[in-house]
Amino acid sequence: MLILSRKTDQSIKIGDDITITIIELHGDQVKIGVEAPRSVKVFRQEVFNAIKTENTAAATLNTEKISDLSKILGK
C-alpha cells in the first residue's frame, strides 16, 4: 500500500485519467473528490463489498437453479 500525505485542495493522480482531491478535513473525517472517466466505476469499499456479496449469491442461486433444471430434464 502506498501512503501519501495531502492537505486540503491537494490532489493525487492515478494514471492519466483519475484524480483524487482532498476537499475538506474535519476531525477524523476526510472528504475527497474523485474525477474519473464514466467507464471507471468508483464505489465506497462497503458498497463494493455489498455488490460483490450480492453478485456471488445471485450466481450461486442461478447455478443451483440450472442444476435443478438439468435434473428435471435428465441432462
Side-chain angles (χ1 to χ4, degrees), residues 9-25:
D9 295 327
Q10 292 183 331
S11 299
I12 297 167
K13 195 76 172 159
I14 301 173
D16 292 331
D17 297 331
I18 301 172
T19 303
I20 309 293
T21 303
I22 306 304
I23 305 298
E24 181 181 336
L25 302 170

Side-chain angles (χ1 to χ4, degrees), residues 18-48:
I18 301 172
T19 303
I20 309 293
T21 303
I22 306 304
I23 305 298
E24 181 181 336
L25 302 170
H26 187 73
D28 64 347
Q29 193 173 51
V30 178
K31 289 187 181 181
I32 62 170
V34 179
E35 292 180 58
R38 289 195 177 271
S39 61
V40 175
K41 295 178 181 175
V42 178
F43 299 103
R44 295 186 333 246
Q45 184 69 50
E46 63 275 13
V47 172
F48 178 81

